[in-house]
């Protein structure tokens, strides 16, 4: 039986999602719990993709196979009772054996939170990027219209990214203002390594007047990481939702 | 020169406000920083009162005396640059030498956050009390009217509280509903040890029908801790604001 889970985690104290030796990772914690529930049988977990150190998830998705006959609504409680408190399984469902959490995604939504208050807020320090500088949101929104659509995003991913095809489609970018906070909401068919964080860094440069919004097409065409802005910190980033066809 | 500071802290990783040997405390961290800024001279900090382990502060107030001639708007930066990231000085002002952060308070505001979502939210786990049970808010509000005013709150503080006079005045209790969250807002002239947390525990019992709202006067008159509800966890509690005459 294949189980699909929606999982939420506070990325603050993790070295990212993916298992790494000697590091505390989200996948490592989940696989350890499944190993215990399956009485010592190793269970491999497949997620929609990785998230980096400090990056959070509201609705990451993974699947695994099991021979246990636990009713689906009991799975979250069974796993959560053994998980550390910074990971919570929100929902679990039995799915078709052909479902794959990574290969079947149709879209992903990421959000990035920017704290615009003058003084850093202790309660947001791990959950947003403190950036108290004035931003021209209309310039940022103009830059967003240039970024939406299907483009080669070589200029917006880590230079050493090994994926061959760097063409991705961004369906929408929303800029939400919410009392001294700005939230960027990205929906796309997929995102390259560090892509959302470089997009945000570049949009902040646009908002500060360091990059003109209408330079974005040239930056995309240049296919060179050095043309875009800085990579903003992981702590402001949330994998918000993973979409599938169904 | 006397300096009054407003300080915000995330109480999660502190054994409370007040200095205790071998423990990480808010006062301890602040005094260590002031010791460094004063080149090894011990500086005693006086706060409006203590907060317990896990309890947060948005606007705790303290004062200290200094011979340093730092402009008041620079004090927050000077102290924050040496403080750990879970404490932030929000504001500093030079005040009259007779000002006392503890003795001059005229009122205090505390807030208590209750997370009513079915599943625990990883991002709120240290910042609210997860209580997913149905609450009768009209019963709770009726109980609040009985609690407001001047009463002997012996039934609402830790049994071993050594303060002689347990008469306090609660000016207002507000119950705020905010999408799957309930916030209790208490303003009073002072609160006894654990008083807010026992008040909330009792109000939750009222909301669950375990205590009738109109029993509150009897509970107050009984002057016995065993008559009121449980003490709710510190993580939902915030010292929100300290008021002074000026």
């Amino acid at each position: 039986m294949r189980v699909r889970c929606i999982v939420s985690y506070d990325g603050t104290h993790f070295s990212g999602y993916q298992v790494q030796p000697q590091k505390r990772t989200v996948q490592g914690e989940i696989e350890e719990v499944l190993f215990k529930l399956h009485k010592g049988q190793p269970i491999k977990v497949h997620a929609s993709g990785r998230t980096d150190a400090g990056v959070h998830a509201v609705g990451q998705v993974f699947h695994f196979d099991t021979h246990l006959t636990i009713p689906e609504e009991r799975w979250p409680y069974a796993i959560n009772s053994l998980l550390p408190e910074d990971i919570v399984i929100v929902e679990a469902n039995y799915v078709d054996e052909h479902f794959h959490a990574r290969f079947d995604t149709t879209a992903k939504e990421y959000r990035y939170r920017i704290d615009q208050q003058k003084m850093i807020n202790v309660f947001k320090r791990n959950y947003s990027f403190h950036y108290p500088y004035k931003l021209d949101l209309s310039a940022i929104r103009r830059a967003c219209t240039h970024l939406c659509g299907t483009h080669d995003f070589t200029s917006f991913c880590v230079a050493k990214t090994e994926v061959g095809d760097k063409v991705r489609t961004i369906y929408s970018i929303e800029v939400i203002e919410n009392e001294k906070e700005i939230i960027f909401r990205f929906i796309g068919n997929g995102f390259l390594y560090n892509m959302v964080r470089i997009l945000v860094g570049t949009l902040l440069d646009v908002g500060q007047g360091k990059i003109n919004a209408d330079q974005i097409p040239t930056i995309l065409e240049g296919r060179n990481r050095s043309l875009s802005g800085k990579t903003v910190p992981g702590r402001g980033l949330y994998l918000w939702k993973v979409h599938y066809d169904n």
Side-chain angles (χ1 to χ4, degrees), chain A:
Chain A
M1 299 279 279
R2 185 156 289 185
V3 181
R4 171 171 70 185
C5 291
I6 300 175
V7 61
S8 174
Y9 47 84
D10 175 345
T12 308
H13 302 294
F14 290 105
S15 304
Y17 173 79
Q18 195 177 44
V19 165
Q20 295 174 65
Q22 319 296 340
K23 299 274 178 113
R24 185 170 188 260
T25 64
V26 178
Q27 185 189 359
E29 295 288 340
I30 295 170
E31 289 185 346
E32 197 183 307
V33 167
L34 291 176
F35 180 78
K36 284 179 195 156
L37 286 174
H38 292 80
K39 317 256 177 240
Q41 185 194 337
I43 302 288
K44 172 94 178 141
V45 146
H46 301 268
S48 73
R50 338 170 176 175
T51 54
D52 282 338
V55 174
H56 313 291
V58 167
Q60 167 72 291
V61 175
F62 67 84
H63 79 259
F64 63 93
D65 293 325
T66 184
H67 63 268
L68 298 180
T69 53
I70 298 177
E72 61 181 13
E73 69 278 12
R74 295 305 306 166
W75 269 110
Y77 297 95
I79 304 176
N80 288 336
S81 67
L82 297 172
L83 276 176
E85 60 169 15
D86 45 2
I87 311 180
V88 173
I89 307 292
V90 177
E91 198 184 310
N93 296 103
Y94 285 110
V95 288
D96 186 273
E97 59 174 318
H98 299 295
F99 170 81
H100 196 289
R102 182 161 151 227
F103 302 130
D104 292 357
T105 62
T106 53
K108 280 187 182 177
E109 176 177 343
Y110 279 94
R111 294 196 188 183
Y112 198 92
R113 275 178 83 178
I114 291 173
D115 181 12
Q116 289 254 283
Q117 281 184 296
K118 195 179 159 207
M119 269 299 170
I120 194 161
N121 179 324
V122 282
F123 303 107
K124 293 185 183 172
R125 73 191 190 285
N126 295 322
Y127 306 107
S128 66
F129 174 39
H130 182 239
Y131 190 86
Y133 313 105
K134 217 174 151 54
L135 292 172
D136 176 350
L137 294 187
S138 68
I140 289 178
R141 290 196 173 100
R142 202 164 73 248
C144 290
T145 64
H146 291 300
L147 289 165
C148 286
T150 304
H151 305 285
D152 181 319
F153 284 99
T154 303
S155 296
F156 293 92
C157 69
V158 173
K160 61 177 164 53
T161 304
E162 280 170 18
V163 185
D165 181 11
K166 288 167 187 155
V167 174
R168 296 288 182 278
T169 300
I170 299 183
Y171 302 127
S172 67
I173 309 176
E174 247 186 285
V175 184
I176 303 160
E177 278 188 86
N178 184 11
E179 20 171 322
K180 291 285 171 192
E181 201 170 80
I182 290 168
I183 295 160
F184 289 99
R185 184 175 175 230
F186 296 86
I187 305 181
N189 68 349
F191 294 90
L192 298 160
Y193 189 52
N194 273 3
M195 181 168 148
V196 178
R197 290 161 60 185
I198 298 169
L199 286 168
V200 172
T202 307
L203 291 171
L204 294 179
D205 280 351
V206 170
Q208 281 264 293
K210 293 176 195 167
I211 294 178
N212 187 298
D214 299 318
Q215 270 176 262
I216 296 289
T218 315
I219 295 174
L220 283 164
E221 283 154 26
R223 290 177 204 183
N224 187 327
R225 170 69 185 93
S226 70
L227 301 171
S228 57
K230 286 203 193 86
T231 306
V232 290
R235 60 180 177 275
L237 185 60
Y238 296 74
L239 171 53
W240 201 266
K241 195 172 175 179
V242 185
H243 295 263
Y244 296 92
D245 252 350
N246 65 0

